[in-house]
């Protein structure tokens, strides 16, 4: 049975450095072209009616890159937030960010938080930027929040279940993750949305992120629609009740 559009798509935008190196350009040229892919992907997802798009723009581990590259990525993020403001507001996009945001330099954090606040009532699509994000760190944060609730007496340890943990993850305000895309021919999740990917369909493409454009997103969505999502059940059950899903 064909499935509908994914409600929530996440992307590991990989291959910027290799794309640039293959062209004899510095790695940052790949990130700059990658920012164009971000713009096109966001616009296409919005037009298609996707509810949420989460982009892995900077991992917790990316801080270990050479300082020049980290600085250049922060500068690109800053410019993105400034330059896309009108596009985000005009298209009713709600901007959110997840990760250790306090680690971002204040020249990025301030305009980012300001646009998140200004766009929080927008209902067209949620664009979630994962910045200084790590999936394990996210789960640790949720475990810590549960422990605090137990200590304060709000929750009994025996009540803890998947729903309560899920509600304490950074992605709690987003629909369940349906489709996880990774570019550049690598087959890893790289500490992205580990818990959230439990029932996501995984889509890997050899395309480098700077080359990833609207047709590539459409192709990934078409591949998703051809998948049969069983959530642990058998095909006949899925045909009877296709909407059943994980927490
Ligand atoms: C991975 O490619 C990509 C990143 C670590 C950064 C992603 C950033 C952007 C796409 C641009 C800025 C983002 C926004 C939201 C404006 P890589 O450098 O690891 O590539 P490689 O594996 O080929 O070296």
């Amino acid at each position: 049975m064909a499935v509908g559009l994914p409600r929530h798509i996440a992307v590991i935008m990989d291959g910027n450095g290799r794309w640039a190196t293959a062209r004899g350009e510095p790695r940052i040229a790949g990130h700059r072209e990658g920012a164009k892919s971000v713009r096109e992907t966001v616009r296409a997802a919005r037009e298609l009616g996707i509810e949420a798009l989460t982009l892995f723009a900077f991992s917790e581990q990316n801080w270990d890159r050479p300082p020049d590259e980290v600085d250049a990525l922060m500068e690109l993020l800053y410019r993105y937030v400034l330059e896309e403001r009108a596009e985000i507001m005009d298209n009713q996009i709600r901007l959110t960010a997840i990760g250790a945001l306090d680690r971002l330099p204040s020249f990025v954090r301030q305009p980012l938080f300001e646009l998140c606040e200004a766009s929080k009532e927008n209902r067209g699509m949620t664009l979630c930027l994962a910045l200084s994000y790590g999936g394990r760190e996210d789960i640790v944060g949720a475990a810590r929040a549960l422990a605090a609730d137990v200590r304060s007496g709000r929750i009994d340890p025996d009540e803890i279940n998947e729903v309560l943990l899920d509600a304490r993850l950074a992605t709690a305000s987003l629909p369940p993750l349906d489709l996880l895309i990774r570019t550049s021919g690598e087959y890893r999740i790289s500490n992205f949305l580990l818990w959230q990917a439990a029932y996501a369909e995984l889509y890997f493409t050899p395309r480098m992120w700077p080359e990833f454009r609207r047709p590539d997103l459409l192709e990934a969505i078409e591949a998703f629609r051809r998948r049969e999502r069983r959530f642990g059940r058998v095909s006949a059950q899925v045909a009877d009740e296709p909407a059943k899903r994980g927490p």
Side-chain angles (χ1 to χ4, degrees), residues 197-216:
Y199 284 100
E201 293 297 325
L202 307 181
Y203 179 84
F204 299 99
T205 167
R207 212 42 116 236
M208 298 290 155
W209 177 250
E211 303 165 324
F212 190 94
R213 296 298 153 98
R214 188 190 180 90
D216 302 294

Side-chain angles (χ1 to χ4, degrees), residues 78-97:
Y78 166 75
R79 293 221 318 253
Y80 179 80
V81 171
L82 252 56
E83 290 169 8
E84 294 306 293
R85 189 192 171 91
E87 171 100 8
I88 284 174
M89 296 307 291
D90 290 351
N91 289 290
Q92 282 293 305
I93 294 172
R94 177 175 80 106
L95 180 68
T96 63

Side-chain angles (χ1 to χ4, degrees), residues 229-246:
R229 307 187 76 199
R230 293 193 294 274
F231 301 105
R233 297 172 304 153
V234 301
S235 288
Q237 291 173 300
V238 178
D240 290 345
E241 196 198 347
K244 187 172 165 67
R245 62 192 316 147

Side-chain angles (χ1 to χ4, degrees), residues 13-18 27 31 34 57 62 65 73 77 80 209:
M13 309 183 288
D14 196 15
N16 293 351
R18 275 166 287 161
R27 292 176 56 82
H31 296 315
N62 285 155
R65 290 196 173 197
L73 280 166
L77 280 166
Y80 179 80
W209 177 250

